[in-house]
Amino acid sequence: MHKGKVYIVGAGPGDEKLITVYGRECIERADVIIYDRLVSKQLLAYAKEEAELLYCGKEPKKHGNIQQQIHEWLVQYALQGKTVVRLKGGDPFMFGRGGEEAEHLRAHGIPYEIVPGVTAGVAAPAYAGIPVTHRNYAGGVTFIAGHQSGERDRIRWDALSQATDTIVFYMGMANIAYICEQLKRHGKDEHTPVAVIEWATTNKQRTVVGTLQTIVDIVNEKQLSSPAIIVVGDVVRLHDQLKWVEETW
């Protein structure tokens, strides 16, 4: 039996124009596209008319057995000899479970490729005029999955608070108060600048800026919610000077 091939493609952070050329080419020749909740629907317009589109979006805290279904689809359609695109928001290997999907494909002998994408942890700050590194402000950046809390918290807050200049949290909005409290408790000054960027790189983008002490109240007042990126560090001070996209939309 002729096996198909799976392309695990990063769709980018939201703006459909930010997908790579190769990522778009994969979409154009796919027989099956399995796509996430945050993937721009405009990208699906590049699919050929007969392509099968399978939605596998995961709502926050409602993942259930969706990941298992994704694994089954990837193998099922590849074994039918089809070209399959697993279209994932951002980059497949940045908090996207792309590594698990690649492992599953390898275990079943399915050929695959990883097509990197622009990740929100870099793109969201860029669209808000915040460079995650800067010669005068930050020589390093750390990316953290922010949905960890309580007994599930595996973050070494003492090390994180002191070891890096810029911290970028993905999926942290539900725990933003906890994040700020832990950073302060483990040595970050309460006046450290913080930005929250909602729906980054889309025409719904909003950015608010505060400090570890004030950002939770600001987020609540402005009613920001997921999807959003949280940026902590002195680079946030550049937002007012370098912001560009929200002034043009």
Side-chain angles (χ1 to χ4, degrees), residues 80-120:
Q80 294 174 12
K82 295 183 177 181
T83 297
V84 181
V85 164
R86 173 71 176 101
L87 193 58
K88 306 171 73 68
D91 178 87
F93 279 5
M94 183 65 82
F95 305 124
R97 303 188 73 169
E100 297 172 41
E101 293 168 5
E103 286 180 302
H104 188 75
L105 292 168
R106 175 59 62 90
H108 287 79
I110 304 297
Y112 62 89
E113 286 188 27
I114 309 299
V115 182
V118 178
T119 184

Side-chain angles (χ1 to χ4, degrees), residues 6-26:
V6 175
Y7 296 83
I8 302 178
V9 177
D15 184 341
E16 69 274 9
K17 296 186 294 295
L18 293 179
I19 194 169
T20 64
V21 172
Y22 189 40
R24 176 174 168 176
E25 290 175 353
C26 291

